[in-house]
Amino acid sequence: MRSFGLIGAVLLLAACDGAGKSNDTSSGLDAGAACDISPAACDEDGDGYKPSEDDCDDSDSSVNPGEVETCNGRDDNCDGAVDEGVGSAWYQDFDEDGYGNTAAAQIACEQPDGYVAIDGDCDDAQPRSFPGNVEVCDDIDNNCDGAVDEGVTTNFYADSDADNYGDATSLVQVCEAPVGYVTDNTDCDDSTSRAYPGNAEVCDTIDNDCDGRVDEGVTTLYYADVDGDGYGDILVPDDACSLPTGYSENALDCDDLAAAVNPAATELCNAIDDNCDGVIDEASAADALTWYVDADADTYGSVSASVVQCYQPAGYVLDATDCDDGRFETNPGATEFCNGFDDNCDTRTDEDSAADALSWYADTDADAFGDVGALDVECYQPAGYVADSTDCDDRDATSFPGGIEVCDGADNDCNGLVDDAPTDGTTFYADDDTDGFGDPLDWVSECALPSGYVDNDYDCNDTNGSEPVVADAIYGSSAGTGTLAAPYSSLQDAIDDASECVVALEGTYSESIDLSGKSIDVWGVMGAEYTAIDPSLSVCSTSNPTACAAAVEISSGSGAAPTLHGFTIEGGTGSATSAVTTETCADSSSSHGGSNSCSVTTYTYCGGGIAISGDDPILEDVIVYNNELPLADQASTGDYTQVWLSSYGGGICVVDGNVSLDNVWVINNYADAGGGIFVSGSAILSVAHTQISENDASDGGGLFVSEAAINLTNSVLACNSATTDGGGIFTESSANIDGENIVVYGNESAITGTARGADLWLASATGFQWINSIVENDIATSMVYGTGSATLQYNNVYNDNYSGSTYGGALAAGSGSISMGGNFVRSACDGNARNDDWTLDATSGALDAGNPAAAYSDVDGTDNDMGAYGGPGGSW
């Protein structure tokens, strides 16, 4: 601010004075005109300050250099600054905790954004840190007193040995326990987890329980063992945790300077108490001697009286071999004679060393012939010895002069030759045509295979090297020649090529075969378990009626007599024939236009496994399994046209012919009529040792017989089912059935309607004979018999439905019959015939209960056992 003198100020004031003052006229100018001419020299607002005196607003008397600056948004004191030094102090509050940073302040009349009136925040980046806040344990100075976590930390102590007890000298004060620290500080040794308060004291040179004492009360007293014999000196003890070197756990040694003297030592006759028992050279000393009385003074003592001492007593000797101390002539040094005395005391009387003994030869094999090399000289003939010495092998009772020669690698007849002309040799068959197959009619019995022979009898003509023809499903070839070296792969090719016989080696022949009217022998030589004919055909329906075929066709009608044995036959669906006839339509379709006559094509399927018509085959060792024929059906194929299906004999179908079955299993087959076997026309079927089980049909689950004759012996008819009639057997028209030693078990027919005959439905039979058989556990009425004559004898019929059976015609209960169940070892009827065992249980009442006549006796000569395994043919 500019400075003026007092006079100048007064003059200027006078010059600028306006109203109320007279103008200085002497100058010729008025005051107003002077302010206009020189405004800086005037004081317009009358505040005593002119613009020339730094009044920065001469229009406002409250603004001049002499004013006090106030917070009003003006420069009250005209110092060029607005509101300087008159506002309030404000502090930056970055963390918005209500306290500002003292170092970040500004003066302002109004509170700026982000500023507060209170300072003192010690950490404006941390909202948990401000004056007056409560201190918590978080590594932050919460109350801004310059100390972090004061008064809120916890004392933790290092636990180096992880025993949960800490070392008091290793304190840290922190909020949370560091790894390896605990709150306890009572560990006396933090270098081992075996030392902490309360631990059990053990002997380990450590203060385990931290009581200031080491191994108190747990040491063991040991004793010095100077001589190292394992026994200590009671006079030199020592307390220790474990056995010190040179010490023993016991104090039993009586001389710790002599290793050979201790309680385990052996007492010897040496004037020393070796075993520390307090006795010297006692009778139990190891080298004490046994002295024996010598009453006859022959220098040999008797074992009957003895003493044990270290030194010899009078009248005793060390020898104890005198066997008679009252006979001077008897002692081990005497000569033996055959006199009834044991002269030499060798415990034998008159032994072979006797001066007058005789010679005998060992007969070890007890064949009455002695071994010249096994001489025994004795007074009398010893057991197992003979006077003869001509046996050639006294180890073999079958070898002696005049013995019977057998295959055993021995000279049985002692003629110097081994296995010559044996009576038990192996049968070998001549192979004259060298085709690898033997002639069953030309054989020898030898111990080893002779030249020109083979061990099989498969040849049907040993003069013709081309027979038999060989098929091999595994190793054969379509280019084969039918020899053993080059077999056919196709069984049909072998049949076509054969004149007399076919040998089929093991494997599955995936084809249908036709014996084509040949009277040949077709043999699965490894048996039915290993050889199969399985074409795996699809079952026909009305939509594919011509796709079915039998697995085996024997239907030439020529009376051929082939033999088929050793096969499992499966996967067949029936040999089909068809005929077209005019029939009443099987439906009421309006398309018939009022006429009910249809052209019907009837397909008839016969024999899923084996179809037989007009031939006389023999079936042996055959399993007919899992063959399925079509269901009976009728279906329209158009206006006035229909297809009808019917099926017969799921396993075997016989239409005429004389057929023999022996050891045949017919199981798990299906057809509309005769699930197992269907027999019709003038056929004669002979069945022996055969099981017909687990087959299904509408009628005749096991057997369906129409007009034909069937003879059953020693066979099983079990677990078959029919949805209508005859679960076991169904007959129609005239039929003859003879059954001897048969099991009929668990067959099932329909259970509603007229009695259905679960086991037997004989609605019409010319003759029926049932002997020595068992009928048990049927489902639905057991047996239904219509007209004709029948013979029932010595049968066991037992089940809940027996009383419901219907006997018509001449059928009667039968003589010799019984009724009791629980006959068989195992009768499961579970779909797997191999799970069943039809032999009689040991408690069965059917044992020996059959016809007692000798003609019916079992093979062991006892009375006939009812069931499949009784009678003359019961062994199978």
Side-chain angles (χ1 to χ4, degrees):
M1 179 180 287
R2 183 178 300 135
S3 176
F4 296 96
L6 177 60
I7 296 175
V10 172
L11 289 177
L12 182 58
L13 179 60
C16 293
D17 188 11
K21 293 183 178 180
S22 63
N23 293 329
D24 184 359
T25 60
S26 64
S27 63
L29 296 171
D30 58 22
C35 289
D36 291 338
I37 293 173
S38 181
C42 293
D43 180 14
E44 290 280 345
D45 53 12
D47 58 5
Y49 292 91
K50 301 174 184 177
S52 60
E53 295 173 330
D54 291 332
D55 191 343
C56 56
D57 187 355
D58 202 34
S59 64
D60 187 343
S61 61
S62 63
V63 176
N64 57 69
E67 289 293 324
V68 176
E69 189 76 19
T70 61
C71 278
N72 56 10
R74 299 182 305 177
D75 183 9
D76 298 290
N77 58 8
C78 291
D79 63 355
V82 176
D83 296 340
E84 73 279 5
V86 294
S88 299
W90 302 94
Y91 304 93
Q92 186 179 28
D93 183 14
F94 181 79
D95 55 9
E96 298 181 353
D97 58 3
Y99 292 83
N101 184 357
T102 304
Q106 62 174 276
I107 305 298
C109 293
E110 293 182 359
Q111 183 176 3
D113 287 342
Y115 283 74
V116 294
I118 303 172
D119 66 345
D121 199 340
C122 55
D123 185 353
D124 200 35
Q126 173 55 260
R128 289 184 291 161
S129 180
F130 55 86
N133 192 18
V134 177
E135 191 72 21
V136 294
C137 210
D138 59 358
D139 293 326
I140 296 172
D141 182 7
N142 304 96
N143 57 11
C144 288
D145 63 353
V148 176
D149 294 339
E150 71 278 8
V152 292
T153 56
T154 301
N155 293 340
F156 295 99
Y157 304 89
D159 180 17
S160 301
D161 56 8
D163 60 1
N164 295 320
Y165 293 84
D167 181 1
T169 65
S170 59
L171 169 67
V172 295
Q173 293 180 318
V174 291
C175 296
E176 295 182 359
V179 175
Y181 280 73
V182 294
T183 58
D184 182 278
N185 66 350
T186 60
D187 203 341
C188 57
D189 184 353
D190 201 38
S191 66
T192 173
S193 61
R194 291 184 291 164
Y196 54 85
N199 191 20
E201 191 72 25
V202 296
C203 210
D204 57 0
T205 68
I206 294 173
D207 181 8
N208 305 98
D209 55 7
C210 288
D211 65 352
R213 296 177 297 164
V214 175
D215 296 339
E216 69 277 7
V218 292
T219 56
T220 300
L221 191 61
Y222 299 98
Y223 303 90
D225 181 14
V226 175
D227 57 10
D229 60 2
Y231 294 87
D233 185 350
I234 194 171
L235 300 177
V236 188
D238 185 22
D239 276 325
C241 288
S242 60
L243 183 66
T245 301
Y247 278 74
S248 171
E249 294 178 344
N250 66 73
L252 303 177
D253 207 340
C254 57
D255 184 354
D256 200 37
L257 298 178
V261 177
N262 57 67
T266 301
E267 186 72 18
L268 300 174
C269 294
N270 57 6
I272 297 173
D273 181 9
D274 303 283
N275 58 7
C276 293
D277 65 353
V279 182
I280 297 174
D281 293 344
E282 61 265 34
S284 61
D287 56 350
L289 300 173
T290 302
W291 304 91
Y292 302 91
V293 65
D294 180 17
D296 57 7
D298 59 0
T299 71
Y300 293 90
S302 172
V303 73
S304 63
S306 64
V307 294
V308 178
Q309 292 183 188
C310 284
Y311 313 103
Q312 181 177 15
Y316 283 77
V317 294
L318 289 174
D319 183 278
T321 59
D322 202 339
C323 56
D324 187 350
D325 201 37
R327 185 172 184 263
F328 180 82
E329 295 84 1
T330 298
N331 59 67
T335 300
E336 186 74 16
F337 290 97
C338 296
N339 57 7
F341 289 99
D342 179 11
D343 301 291
N344 58 6
C345 289
D346 63 356
T347 71
R348 297 178 297 165
T349 299
D350 300 339
E351 63 268 26
D352 57 358
S353 60
D356 54 352
L358 301 175
S359 296
W360 306 93
Y361 301 92
D363 182 17
T364 304
D365 55 11
D367 59 3
F369 295 87
D371 181 1
V372 69
L375 171 67
D376 187 8
V377 179
E378 295 196 23
C379 291
Y380 314 102
Q381 181 177 6
Y385 281 74
V386 294
D388 182 275
S389 62
T390 60
D391 203 341
C392 58
D393 186 351
D394 200 40
R395 298 165 299 173
D396 186 354
T398 66
S399 294
F400 53 85
I404 298 173
E405 196 70 23
V406 294
C407 284
D408 59 359
D411 179 10
N412 303 106
D413 55 8
C414 289
N415 67 350
L417 301 175
V418 175
D419 293 342
D420 59 309
T423 59
D424 65 341
T426 299
T427 301
F428 297 102
Y429 302 88
D431 183 18
D432 293 337
D433 56 10
T434 66
D435 58 2
F437 300 105
D439 183 353
L441 302 179
D442 186 358
W443 56 270
V444 294
S445 179
E446 296 286 348
C447 297
L449 179 67
S451 177
Y453 285 77
V454 293
D455 61 358
N456 69 77
D457 60 348
Y458 302 159
D459 210 336
C460 57
N461 185 348
D462 202 36
T463 63
N464 182 356
S466 62
E467 297 285 340
V469 180
V470 185
D472 188 335
I474 299 175
Y475 300 109
S477 167
S478 58
T481 59
T483 64
L484 187 59
Y488 289 116
S489 58
S490 166
L491 182 58
Q492 187 64 58
D493 287 349
I495 292 170
D496 292 343
D497 198 19
S499 299
E500 298 178 60
C501 58
V502 171
V503 164
L505 301 180
E506 68 176 303
T508 298
Y509 295 88
S510 302
E511 57 185 320
S512 297
I513 66 168
D514 189 340
L515 297 186
S516 306
K518 291 186 173 184
S519 294
I520 60 175
D521 179 63
V522 182
W523 188 0
V525 293
M526 297 303 294
E529 293 293 328
Y530 301 97
T531 315
I533 300 170
D534 182 4
S536 299
L537 299 172
S538 297
V539 180
C540 295
S541 66
T542 54
S543 62
N544 65 333
T546 61
C548 289
V552 177
E553 191 81 42
I554 310 176
S555 302
S556 71
S558 64
T563 299
L564 185 70
H565 53 131
F567 292 96
T568 291
I569 299 172
E570 58 185 315
T573 54
S575 178
T577 58
S578 63
V580 179
T581 58
T582 300
E583 306 288 347
T584 299
C585 296
D587 58 39
S588 57
S589 173
S590 59
S591 64
H592 298 153
S595 171
N596 204 25
S597 293
C598 283
S599 175
V600 174
T601 303
T602 299
Y603 290 91
T604 302
Y605 303 90
C606 180
I610 305 174
I612 302 169
S613 178
D615 288 333
D616 303 327
I618 297 173
L619 308 179
E620 297 174 337
D621 184 26
V622 170
I623 300 173
V624 184
Y625 167 74
N626 207 26
N627 298 281
E628 183 177 355
L629 270 61
L631 296 168
D633 195 10
Q634 296 177 335
S636 295
T637 57
D639 287 346
Y640 308 106
T641 62
Q642 292 185 342
V643 171
W644 293 2
L645 306 183
S646 59
S647 60
Y648 302 88
I652 300 173
C653 178
V654 181
V655 180
D656 296 328
N658 192 339
V659 181
S660 175
L661 276 61
D662 194 352
N663 194 27
V664 175
W665 283 47
V666 183
I667 53 176
N668 293 97
N669 302 286
Y670 172 81
D672 183 53
I677 301 176
F678 176 83
V679 188
S680 70
S682 59
I684 299 173
L685 179 64
S686 299
V687 179
H689 309 129
T690 290
Q691 182 158 313
I692 304 169
S693 298
E694 306 286 356
N695 301 286
D696 302 300
S698 294
D699 292 307
L703 274 169
F704 190 117
V705 185
S706 177
E707 299 181 355
I710 182 168
N711 187 306
L712 297 141
T713 60
N714 296 105
S715 295
V716 176
L717 190 69
C719 311
N720 302 287
S721 65
T723 56
T724 307
D725 298 321
I729 299 176
F730 181 94
T731 68
E732 66 178 6
S733 302
S734 59
N736 285 281
I737 300 178
D738 287 342
E740 182 177 320
N741 285 103
I742 308 300
V743 168
V744 182
Y745 182 95
N747 298 289
E748 178 178 359
S749 65
I751 60 175
T752 60
T754 305
R756 296 298 191 180
D759 293 313
L760 304 172
W761 172 270
L762 308 176
S764 175
T766 301
F768 176 58
Q769 178 173 282
W770 210 247
I771 301 174
N772 300 330
S773 299
I774 299 174
V775 179
E776 182 179 347
N777 201 39
D778 53 70
I779 302 174
T781 302
S782 174
M783 295 189 292
V784 178
Y785 183 81
T787 61
S789 62
T791 300
L792 293 180
Q793 293 181 343
Y794 296 96
N795 299 303
N796 178 15
V797 180
Y798 177 85
N799 51 46
D800 292 339
N801 300 299
Y802 173 55
S803 61
S805 297
T806 301
Y807 302 99
L811 186 64
S815 61
S817 294
I818 61 175
S819 179
M820 56 187 63
N823 294 290
F824 305 107
V825 171
R826 186 171 59 251
S827 50
C829 282
D830 59 359
N832 184 355
R834 298 179 187 276
N835 290 338
D836 302 320
D837 184 347
W838 302 108
T839 55
L840 294 181
D841 184 83
T843 62
S844 171
L847 292 167
D848 298 330
N851 194 317
Y856 296 103
S857 293
D858 291 345
V859 292
D860 62 0
T862 60
D863 284 348
N864 182 285
D865 291 337
M866 294 177 177
Y869 297 96
S875 295
W876 61 290

